[in-house]
Amino acid sequence: MGMGSFAIVVIHFLITIITRGIYICYVIFKLNIIPLFKDFDFKFFKHIRKLPRPGQGHTESFNDVIIMLDTETSKERKKSVCRNYVVAWTLSVRAYDMNLVTLWGSRPSEVIETLNSLIMNMPGDKTVIYLHNFAYDYVFLRKFMYAAWGTPVHQLNVKPHYPLFIEFGNGLIFKDSLILAQRGLEKWANDMDVLHKKASGKWDYEKIRTQKSYKYFTDEEKEYIEHDTLAGVECIQKTMDALNKKIYSMPFTATGIPREAVYKIGVKYKAHQAFLSMAPSYDTYRKLEYVFHGGYTHNNRWYVEYVIRGLIQARDFASSYPYELLTRKMPMEKFMPYENCKPEYILKNAEDYAFIFKLVMIKPRLKDPFTPMPVLQKSKCLKLVNVIEDNGRVLEAEYAELYTNELDLQLIMQQYKFNGVGCVDVEYAYKDYLPRWFRDYVYQCFADKCKLKGGDPVLYSLAKARLNSLYGMCAQKSIKILIEENYQTGDFKEKPNEDPQELYEAYLNNHRSILNYAWGCWVTSGAFVSLFEMGACVKPKEEGGIWIYSDTDSCYAMNWDEDKLAAFNASRKQKLLDQGYGPVEVNGKEYWLGVAELDGEYSEFISTGAKRYSCRDYHTGKLKITVAGVPKKGHICLNDEIRNFHSGFIFDGLTTGKKMHTYFFENDIWTDAKGNERGDSIDLSPADYKLDSSSGLHDWDDLLYTDVEVQVYDEDIL
């Protein structure tokens, strides 16, 4: 191309960009702040860019826009449970680093009409639509979607009634931004410090509305529905910019954020070849699934429903799982079979070798009946005879067996005695530290989080997501259970005719498979050991020490042995230094991974079981609660009296905001007597929560959290 031709191309490009920008600004100026969809000229979107998706095998283009959709619903009448229906919706469109428009309406069919008008006027083949908590809005829209576009051509569900994304044949791709953000929209907008924050409190969810009520919406109500989607598109743009992503390359989940970086680094070090050299066989992998467990959560059974008063201090590990990744030796070769042996042999060789085995125990029982935190988990036992349990922990049994490893065995042997005990079906592998390239990236993510704290809110938020996702990448199951939706009934079931061994072989052969699932197992077991090492820094009961409560990486206790705790922290720092990882220094302050830090002081504490406790801040006097499934503001129900926290106490759903989900699936779209378009529905009605005692819980892995539930999925299968 000659210089003259090149200049013409450049001038033409500049004229196009300037003209397009002037046109967009002109249209925005003409528009109302939030126009009804039917008042909008969709030809405006003909000026949107289309992006060809790079890469071999990709021929489609994407519209270069960020779109967020949201619905608001109302009850048909005030009663405990009833069918809800859509009464308002908004759709915000952002491109060229500006919010172009927020459209709105009141009927589900209008959502479909608006989306059809969008894609008819935009030049690209595919269009991404985000919804924050897609699982909710999808139920109300699904019948209308199917009627207009047919059933989805591609869908992934992380669990029943929770689609991660859905793609239709017309190129519309619906994604859930909640699982990407891992937090509610209000917190996401605040963390990202976007221009439009969620307008909380300006929409009355108890008010009964119809699809004609939009005529009477107040300015505050319009502001509320508009800000939901404006906040969403602004959060997504900030995330895209920080990650240097395009709309087609945005990760689906928080785990996807560091996955690409880890893979790119791993390629340089031939990580896939190293992975294949140590990846377990299919049979061994299945045993590892039995070995894997979550964090240890338990309360001291000797103080259940007893108000403890005095100075109660909570100690919490800083970045517990990343510390284990940096300092813990883990399996670094394929597991090989070994002969049956005694536990003592495994513990003798535990420094250099990893073991998985079935631990067979005849009459296991605690050595000290006053042990505050029993470690043997009932739900992990494959066989159990005549068990006496406490909150899912085995105190005594006639017989028990479970698959475990050398780290968990260390704690079991410390606490229990037996009439007979042995290890069968034993396999072993050489242990060593994780690859330096991976550990360096873990440390870098920790350093980034420390340095960005108090700085750029977007980069800090992403740094936290990176660090918190690294363990999840190791703990990701190699065999994914895919869940299918029945588009007629709304039911979900596991996909049939999937050969798990074939799926595992496909996982091994995937060039992006570079992290060993066994590492995830050893991280949680290592954190288990570390937790009990921290708990050992509580003074003995003869000296007034009480280990009250534990939760994964934290201990609540009275009378800590500060000298012992200081020595413990010093030893953990030394382990980091031995591996070449010192503190991160920011403004003269040192930040260490894995150090037990003071996380709170309390004057009162009471618990009825795991994930069910209340405590009063020693300094402010404020009462707080942690109850699985009950929002934090539920402390209001206690009327500032900690003794109200007991078995049988009712946390009122209207006060706490706890909701019960009830699904209604219809045969078809229909119109009610008030002219409301109706389809499938969910009712979110206030749900009371009755506090129970520890005897009702059996497994810390099954406990529900009030925060967003993190799901780990491989981006390649999405």
Side-chain angles (χ1 to χ4, degrees), residues 256-316:
I257 292 174
R259 186 181 303 282
E260 183 178 347
V262 170
Y263 174 70
K264 285 182 177 180
I265 299 170
V267 167
K268 299 177 184 178
Y269 294 91
K270 299 182 179 180
H272 181 62
Q273 294 91 318
F275 163 80
L276 291 176
S277 72
M278 69 181 78
S281 68
Y282 173 74
D283 289 338
T284 300
Y285 167 74
R286 284 303 195 188
K287 295 175 187 176
L288 286 169
E289 287 187 319
Y290 287 121
V291 171
F292 181 86
H293 59 73
Y296 181 89
T297 303
H298 195 63
N299 66 307
N300 188 328
R301 69 186 183 282
W302 299 105
Y303 295 91
V304 171
E305 302 203 34
Y306 177 81
V307 178
I308 301 172
R309 292 186 171 91
L311 178 59
I312 300 146
Q313 294 179 313
R315 306 281 178 167
D316 180 82

Side-chain angles (χ1 to χ4, degrees), residues 49-342:
R49 289 178 301 224
K50 69 175 181 179
L51 299 173
R53 184 176 181 181
Q56 187 175 0
H58 295 302
T59 59
E60 73 277 8
S61 62
F62 279 72
N63 290 306
D64 189 16
V65 288
I66 301 169
I67 301 173
M68 176 72 79
L69 172 65
D70 185 45
T71 64
E72 302 296 343
T73 60
S74 180
K75 291 181 179 291
E76 54 192 7
R77 57 186 176 278
K78 287 188 177 179
K79 55 186 292 189
S80 58
V81 178
C82 62
R83 290 171 171 81
N84 291 354
Y85 50 87
V86 173
V87 293
W89 58 267
T90 52
L91 183 142
S92 291
V93 183
R94 184 176 176 87
Y96 307 103
D97 297 324
M98 65 179 78
N99 297 326
L100 302 186
V101 68
T102 297
L103 303 173
W104 70 294
S106 63
R107 297 174 179 272
S109 63
E110 297 169 353
V111 175
I112 307 304
E113 184 179 344
T114 299
L115 292 174
N116 283 340
S117 298
L118 273 173
I119 61 177
M120 286 173 59
N121 285 280
M122 289 193 291
D125 301 316
K126 296 195 174 185
T127 307
V128 175
I129 312 291
Y130 279 100
L131 297 97
H132 208 73
N133 195 11
F134 179 33
Y136 181 78
D137 304 85
Y138 172 58
V139 173
F140 292 95
L141 297 174
R142 62 192 295 277
K143 282 286 197 301
F144 296 89
M145 291 175 168
Y146 303 161
W149 310 322
T151 55
V153 296
H154 196 190
Q155 176 172 354
L156 181 72
N157 308 292
V158 299
K159 56 185 178 181
H161 300 295
Y162 207 112
L164 182 61
F165 78 90
I166 291 177
E167 180 177 354
F168 288 90
N170 60 359
L172 282 170
I173 303 171
F174 295 88
K175 292 185 177 181
D176 187 2
S177 54
L178 175 62
I179 202 167
L180 171 66
Q182 295 295 330
R183 72 206 86 172
L185 183 60
E186 181 173 8
K187 188 174 190 309
W188 196 23
N190 290 336
D191 288 349
M192 293 290 187
D193 194 25
V194 295
L195 177 63
H196 293 89
K197 305 294 197 299
K198 187 174 174 65
S200 299
K202 295 188 177 183
W203 181 275
D204 182 1
Y205 279 95
E206 297 305 312
K207 183 177 179 180
I208 296 176
R209 298 177 171 89
T210 70
Q211 290 169 359
K212 297 177 183 178
S213 297
Y214 75 93
K215 299 175 182 178
Y216 312 105
F217 283 172
T218 65
D219 290 342
E220 283 195 339
E221 288 173 326
K222 289 181 180 179
E223 179 186 350
Y224 179 88
I225 61 176
E226 182 185 24
H227 276 219
D228 270 4
T229 49
L230 284 177
V233 294
E234 291 169 3
C235 285
I236 292 167
Q237 166 124 38
K238 283 202 168 187
T239 304
M240 285 176 60
D241 292 347
L243 295 175
N244 194 26
K245 294 290 186 181
K246 301 295 185 183
I247 193 67
Y248 56 74
S249 60
M250 278 287 285
F252 288 91
T253 68
T255 309
I257 292 174
R259 186 181 303 282
E260 183 178 347
V262 170
Y263 174 70
K264 285 182 177 180
I265 299 170
V267 167
K268 299 177 184 178
Y269 294 91
K270 299 182 179 180
H272 181 62
Q273 294 91 318
F275 163 80
L276 291 176
S277 72
M278 69 181 78
S281 68
Y282 173 74
D283 289 338
T284 300
Y285 167 74
R286 284 303 195 188
K287 295 175 187 176
L288 286 169
E289 287 187 319
Y290 287 121
V291 171
F292 181 86
H293 59 73
Y296 181 89
T297 303
H298 195 63
N299 66 307
N300 188 328
R301 69 186 183 282
W302 299 105
Y303 295 91
V304 171
E305 302 203 34
Y306 177 81
V307 178
I308 301 172
R309 292 186 171 91
L311 178 59
I312 300 146
Q313 294 179 313
R315 306 281 178 167
D316 180 82
F317 284 129
S319 301
S320 172
Y321 285 178
Y323 177 85
E324 297 296 329
L325 289 169
L326 294 183
T327 63
R328 182 77 60 179
K329 286 185 177 181
M330 301 187 189
M332 293 298 290
E333 65 179 6
K334 288 185 181 295
F335 280 92
M336 300 293 291
Y338 193 74
E339 61 191 26
N340 296 345
C341 60
K342 293 182 177 181

